[in-house]
Amino acid sequence: MVLSRAWTLIKHFEGTPKLSDFKLKEVQLPKIKNGEVLVEAEYFSVDPYMRPYSKRMMNEGDIMIGTQVARVLESNNKAYPVGSYVLSNAGWTTHSISQGKDLTPLIPNWPDHIPKSLALGTIGMPGLTAYFGLKEICIAKKGEIVLVNGAAGAVGSLVGQIAKIIGCKVVGSAGSDDKVQYLKDIGFDEAFNYKTVGSLEEALKKASPEGYDCFFENVGGYFADVALPQMRKYGRIAVCGAIALYNDTTPRKGEYVHFPLIFHELRMEGFTVQRWQDRYDEGLEKLMQWVIEGKLKYHEHITKGFDKMPAGFIGMLKGDNTGKAIITAK
Ligand SMILES: NC(=O)C1=CN([C@@H]2O[C@H](COP(=O)(O)OP(=O)(O)OC[C@H]3O[C@@H](n4cnc5c(N)ncnc54)[C@H](OP(=O)(O)O)[C@@H]3O)[C@@H](O)[C@H]2O)C=CC1
Ligand SMILES: CCCCC/C=C\CC(=O)/C=C/C=C/C=C\[C@@H](O)CCCC(=O)O
């Protein structure tokens, strides 16, 4: 019998999540039955979606939602042999029993020198979000100018690099000077610290006086009010996320987008990455190829230890991370 530890959500967040919103519980797991597997988590992802989705997908007292890279410890299911690695949607729990429906094997022939934690980031959901959001919504083309905010994060840093692979000019915004330097190190043409620039409008104009063809929106709020009027004719805006708004207790009121949409003849489209679920293998193989070729640089912000999960999640929301925020089980 295995003792599993799990972080449960005591009550739904009000504003910014607090450590006291979570409670650590221990659960004695039963022996596995026919068709079941027992998995042990090695890496956990902490993602912004957990903030808005928790209210929509969880009841108070539930185990916190989330994805993990886990290793099969025991198996009565030949699709998941002992010792194999899987992606599991079991959430914030050290061990879990599954019949396989919520498990996804890592893509075949995962190279030994590529960290398996990348299955939660660059070669996982964030990577797919960047890949499909840029290709299918922005439809970024060689020679175009791409703007991405939240650019030093798991998704944003890949958007910028994939845009460079396509042959675009890339401008990024991030919340610290160190992150701005990171963006320049991974190939962004221009980058600025949105917290310290006097005027966002001037910073965007200075970074690209000719404006922007594509805007990959990760942040929401005021940023779009300023960015949309600087979009070039027939520009495309991929609305990926709105992390600046997730912790709001009362909805913010912004400017209206109608005039820039009409007079610049823009297309603005929201999406969630599940739209391309049937093409995940295509995206993952391309992302893996680019990582192996060195064309896609990755950075992980690692918080060590399962006990630190709530702190790692809150830290990511605050901006502690450059690249993908990962928690190690041990
Ligand atoms: N539509 C979809 O299918 C998906 C959408 N997303 C969305 O993409 C966005 C990025 O996600 P991901 O890359 O995983 O997360 P990140 O790795 O970018 O981590 C979150 C980052 O957001 C930034 N941030 C936090 N608060 C603010 C704020 N008030 N204003 C500006 N920036 C802020 C911080 O960076 P900084 O220091 O720059 O402030 C922080 O590091 C999120 O909005 C997320 O919801 C992600 C995956 C799938
Ligand atoms: C109520 C406002 C919602 C705003 C956030 C919406 C989208 C942003 C975002 O972050 C979306 C993330 C999508 C994640 C996709 C796949 C899964 O890995 C997690 C989804 C949870 C689940 O379906 O198990």
Side-chain angles (χ1 to χ4, degrees):
M1 302 275 259
V2 168
L3 191 65
S4 178
R5 302 169 74 216
W7 282 103
T8 59
L9 186 64
I10 299 175
K11 59 182 176 53
H12 285 301
F13 307 122
E14 276 147 32
T16 305
K18 300 180 294 299
L19 293 176
S20 56
D21 292 330
F22 301 91
K23 183 172 176 19
L24 190 57
K25 283 192 171 165
E26 293 194 343
V27 180
Q28 193 76 44
L29 295 181
K31 284 189 71 56
I32 58 172
K33 305 186 185 77
N34 275 345
E36 292 186 336
V37 289
L38 170 67
V39 299
E40 179 178 59
E42 293 199 1
Y43 303 100
F44 296 90
S45 183
V46 279
D47 297 283
Y49 77 82
M50 296 167 188
R51 175 65 189 81
Y53 277 41
S54 57
K55 192 116 189 175
R56 300 155 71 211
M57 295 175 64
M58 293 178 65
N59 296 313
E60 292 180 339
D62 286 353
I63 292 174
M64 185 65 186
I65 54 174
T67 313
Q68 54 177 253
V69 167
R71 186 169 172 276
V72 177
L73 284 187
E74 296 170 23
S75 179
N76 289 334
N77 182 328
K78 58 180 184 307
Y80 300 98
V82 170
S84 62
Y85 280 86
V86 292
L87 271 176
S88 161
N89 279 339
W92 299 13
T93 178
T94 58
H95 297 80
S96 54
I97 292 174
S98 168
Q99 292 184 334
K101 284 195 295 293
D102 61 341
L103 301 180
T104 309
L106 264 50
I107 52 174
N109 312 313
W110 191 283
D112 290 341
H113 70 287
I114 303 286
K116 291 183 175 60
S117 52
L118 292 191
L120 297 168
T122 304
I123 308 171
M125 184 276 283
L128 292 165
T129 302
Y131 177 81
F132 287 112
L134 195 61
K135 268 173 65 81
E136 304 295 331
I137 308 289
C138 283
I139 317 176
K141 292 181 278 299
K142 183 179 165 82
E144 289 193 322
I145 304 166
V146 174
L147 170 64
V148 47
N149 54 13
V155 173
S157 58
L158 299 172
V159 168
Q161 293 183 79
I162 296 170
K164 288 308 295 176
I165 292 170
I166 294 170
C168 301
K169 173 183 175 182
V170 180
V171 174
S173 69
S176 77
D177 293 345
D178 286 348
K179 290 187 181 187
V180 168
Q181 187 53 55
Y182 171 70
L183 294 179
K184 291 176 179 166
D185 292 346
I186 61 173
F188 278 61
D189 297 285
E190 298 289 342
F192 61 86
N193 180 341
Y194 69 89
K195 290 181 180 172
T196 56
V197 288
S199 151
L200 178 59
E201 183 181 4
E202 287 313 311
L204 288 173
K205 280 192 179 133
K206 183 174 172 223
S208 179
E210 55 274 53
Y212 300 91
D213 298 291
C214 302
F215 170 26
F216 199 100
E217 168 68 290
N218 285 317
V219 169
Y222 170 68
F223 198 106
D225 296 348
V226 178
L228 260 56
Q230 297 194 30
M231 295 298 292
R232 287 152 62 117
K233 203 164 180 63
Y234 308 126
R236 290 83 65 197
I237 301 106
V239 186
C240 176
I243 192 160
L245 310 180
Y246 294 164
N247 291 337
D248 285 2
T249 45
T250 49
R252 271 183 244 189
K253 284 271 173 287
E255 288 185 15
Y256 295 105
V257 296
H258 301 75
F259 287 166
L261 283 181
I262 294 166
F263 295 113
H264 298 251
E265 300 194 58
L266 304 176
R267 184 165 60 75
M268 188 171 191
E269 183 175 348
F271 72 93
T272 60
V273 65
Q274 295 99 323
R275 187 189 299 189
W276 298 282
Q277 204 139 30
D278 59 336
R279 292 174 55 190
Y280 277 2
D281 285 349
E282 166 203 328
L284 293 173
E285 277 152 27
K286 198 68 195 165
L287 292 161
M288 175 65 86
Q289 175 199 325
W290 282 332
V291 166
I292 292 170
E293 291 170 349
K295 289 180 181 172
L296 216 44
K297 303 281 185 292
Y298 60 84
H299 191 284
E300 294 180 304
H301 177 83
I302 306 271
T303 301
K304 282 189 181 304
F306 186 68
D307 292 351
K308 301 259 183 34
M309 282 218 63
F313 172 55
I314 293 165
M316 175 275 300
L317 291 173
K318 275 196 340 224
D320 290 353
N321 62 303
T322 297
K324 181 71 191 91
I326 294 284
I327 317 288
T328 61
K330 292 185 177 103

